[in-house]
Amino acid sequence: MKAVGHAPRASFGKARLSPPAKKQSRSTHPHFTLVLGGGGARGLAHIGVLNVLEREGLLPQLIVGTSMGAIVGGMYAQHPDARALESKIRALIGSTAFRRIVLDAFAHDGAPDGLRTFSALYGRVKRGYGFIKSVWSPGIVEVPVLMSFLSRLLDDRPIEKTAIPFAAVSCEILTGEEVICRKGSMLKAVAASSAIPGIVSPVNIEGRFLVDGAPTSMVPVDAARRLSALPTVAVSVTRPLRADKRVLNAVDVVLRAGAIARAQLTEYNLRDARYVLRPRVEAYGWADFHSVGAIISEGERTAWEALRAIRAL
């Protein structure tokens, strides 16, 4: 299983594993790495988890994230203030540009991590939007568009300058390598980690063409363990496989097989985490950003329930 699911890893730079700059509210606290997984809008639950951890003085010594986990994790690593982070996210979601490109375009399409993995892409093509672009370009959304969104959330400073050490995990689309970005432009590293294959064009970093880290690790526990010997607390917002999903044609069969492989790889990876938080957000779709309040609340609820276990690390 491991030989099949884990391609050779590559990384850029060295991780800083010094304590975070922000003063802790408690005199003693457990030292741990926080691993934040991908899942689109469901990843907003990470904000709720951070809200509770911060309130309780349980700040991580290292944050490792992929996709939405990289966005939220990178923001918090730069400025460890969960409430300010939430305000920025809410402002972006409420903006006209975000609503036009993300909410309106994808709200009625399936999630890109379940049975119809690429239904978001197919939906736009069926409606005639971006058909020519999807044929002649590696993505419907160009990297500058994604970077423009992320610039509203993240400072374009080196990852090495964050208050809390941080790493963004992505996948090299040509070789299948898992790539850990821990130096250089924060904006570019997070863009690479959240570039959904087929939707956003790959991001070129040092000659590598990087996409969302989900193909190699939806929740990058293995990458975190390679960077630090600290115990890992992982937050998984992936949807479980549903047996009641209908498989209507050959495309559904292929996509279902891919979903099974990703689900198996995710669970295999999570076995190495010391503790796993699983916010109950499976009812929300990939683009349900309008449910930001409910999703964050679920992250908070899950974190409150996990406090005793985290303190016992």
Side-chain angles (χ1 to χ4, degrees):
M1 178 70 176
K2 188 168 184 177
V4 175
H6 290 70
R9 268 57 174 180
S11 61
F12 299 144
K14 295 182 178 180
R16 275 191 312 117
L17 298 179
S18 55
K22 185 172 179 179
K23 184 178 180 180
Q24 307 300 318
S25 60
R26 294 172 180 263
S27 58
T28 61
H29 59 86
H31 288 187
F32 64 96
T33 296
L34 183 64
V35 184
L36 304 178
R42 294 189 297 278
L44 298 172
H46 298 322
I47 301 173
V49 171
L50 288 168
N51 275 336
V52 173
L53 294 181
E54 181 182 301
R55 228 173 294 166
E56 295 297 302
L58 300 172
L59 294 190
Q61 274 56 57
L62 170 66
I63 300 174
V64 180
T66 194
S67 198
M68 183 57 76
I71 295 173
V72 174
M75 291 176 68
Y76 194 78
Q78 286 188 327
H79 303 287
D81 185 333
R83 290 302 180 189
L85 185 160
E86 181 178 338
S87 296
K88 274 189 172 184
I89 291 281
R90 286 181 179 272
L92 176 62
I93 292 173
S95 68
T96 301
F98 187 87
R99 189 164 52 250
R100 176 173 57 83
I101 293 179
V102 179
L103 296 185
D104 292 347
F106 294 121
H108 302 296
D109 293 317
D113 60 351
L115 176 55
R116 296 179 179 273
T117 304
F118 298 105
S119 58
L121 173 61
Y122 292 158
R124 297 186 80 177
V125 170
K126 282 190 295 185
R127 291 195 298 272
Y129 185 91
F131 176 74
I132 298 297
K133 196 168 183 60
S134 67
V135 173
W136 299 106
S137 173
I140 288 179
V141 177
E142 294 294 343
V143 173
V145 176
L146 176 59
M147 297 275 281
S148 176
F149 278 124
L150 293 177
S151 67
R152 304 188 189 190
L153 305 175
L154 294 154
D155 300 332
D156 193 15
R157 301 181 62 202
I159 295 177
E160 308 94 295
K161 304 275 186 198
T162 54
I164 298 175
F166 171 75
V169 179
S170 56
C171 173
E172 214 291 330
I173 196 63
L174 299 179
T175 65
E177 290 179 284
E178 181 178 77
V179 176
I180 305 171
C181 293
R182 43 187 172 153
K183 74 171 187 177
S185 166
M186 170 69 84
L187 205 58
K188 205 164 186 180
V190 173
S193 183
S194 52
I196 302 171
I199 304 296
V200 181
S201 297
V203 179
N204 187 341
I205 298 181
E206 297 183 7
R208 293 175 177 269
F209 295 92
L210 307 180
V211 296
D212 190 308
T216 52
S217 54
M218 184 68 81
V219 190
V221 174
D222 187 58
R225 285 166 54 84
R226 288 170 175 269
L227 294 176
S228 170
L230 292 173
T232 53
V233 175
V235 185
S236 175
V237 293
T238 57
R239 272 178 165 170
L241 288 171
R242 291 175 51 188
D244 61 343
K245 280 286 188 179
R246 300 176 64 191
V247 177
L248 302 177
N249 51 48
V251 174
D252 284 349
V253 172
V254 171
L255 296 178
R256 180 67 171 185
I260 292 170
R262 283 190 300 278
Q264 294 284 348
L265 177 59
T266 297
E267 291 305 312
Y268 182 80
N269 209 0
L270 287 173
R271 292 193 304 179
D272 288 331
R274 182 69 66 85
Y275 192 82
V276 180
L277 283 72
R278 299 179 188 266
R280 293 199 289 266
V281 291
E282 60 274 5
Y284 300 99
W286 171 80
D288 284 343
F289 290 94
H290 58 275
S291 300
V292 53
I295 296 174
I296 290 175
S297 294
E298 178 55 29
E300 290 179 335
R301 184 200 63 77
T302 304
W304 282 121
E305 292 179 352
L307 283 178
R308 178 176 296 182
I310 294 173
R311 288 198 181 104
L313 288 174

